[in-house]
Amino acid sequence: MRKTFEGDAKQTCGQASVNQVQIENLLIPLPPLNEQKRIVEKVEQLMGLCDELEEKLRKSQEDSEKLMETVVRGLLEGAATKI
């Protein structure tokens, strides 16, 4: 991108700038449509895996909290019966 604008950029107060027309005329290469579709499918597949991992992490955290509550409750009840 830098090389694209280097020749066209204007120096203002020591900073290079480009205008809207230059940006609008910028050609951005895109992969062929079938490759774009393949990329989208892969991203959707990976996002599904991320969702599954987030759910497993949430469930694991809930299970850990329940286990900790049970352990603390057992310790407190055990201490109370000894008193």
Side-chain angles (χ1 to χ4, degrees):
M1 294 300 288
R2 183 179 204 140
K3 289 180 182 180
T4 301
F5 291 119
E6 275 181 348
D8 297 330
K10 296 179 182 176
Q11 292 290 327
T12 306
C13 298
Q15 291 194 354
S17 64
V18 292
N19 63 36
Q20 184 175 348
V21 173
Q22 291 168 306
I23 293 173
E24 288 173 352
N25 291 328
L26 179 65
L27 297 176
I28 300 174
L30 296 175
L33 187 57
N34 62 342
E35 181 68 9
Q36 292 178 42
K37 289 179 180 179
R38 191 190 69 75
I39 292 169
V40 168
E41 288 172 5
K42 190 65 173 177
V43 168
E44 288 175 347
Q45 176 189 9
L46 292 173
M47 291 303 294
L49 290 173
C50 288
D51 291 343
E52 288 178 28
L53 285 172
E54 285 178 351
E55 180 60 27
K56 287 179 181 179
L57 285 171
R58 186 192 61 74
K59 178 78 169 99
S60 176
Q61 187 175 10
E62 285 177 4
D63 291 346
S64 294
E65 289 172 2
K66 287 179 185 176
L67 177 60
M68 185 61 70
E69 289 174 8
T70 302
V71 168
V72 169
R73 188 177 314 115
L75 289 171
L76 293 174
E77 289 172 357
T81 58
K82 291 181 181 179
I83 295 178

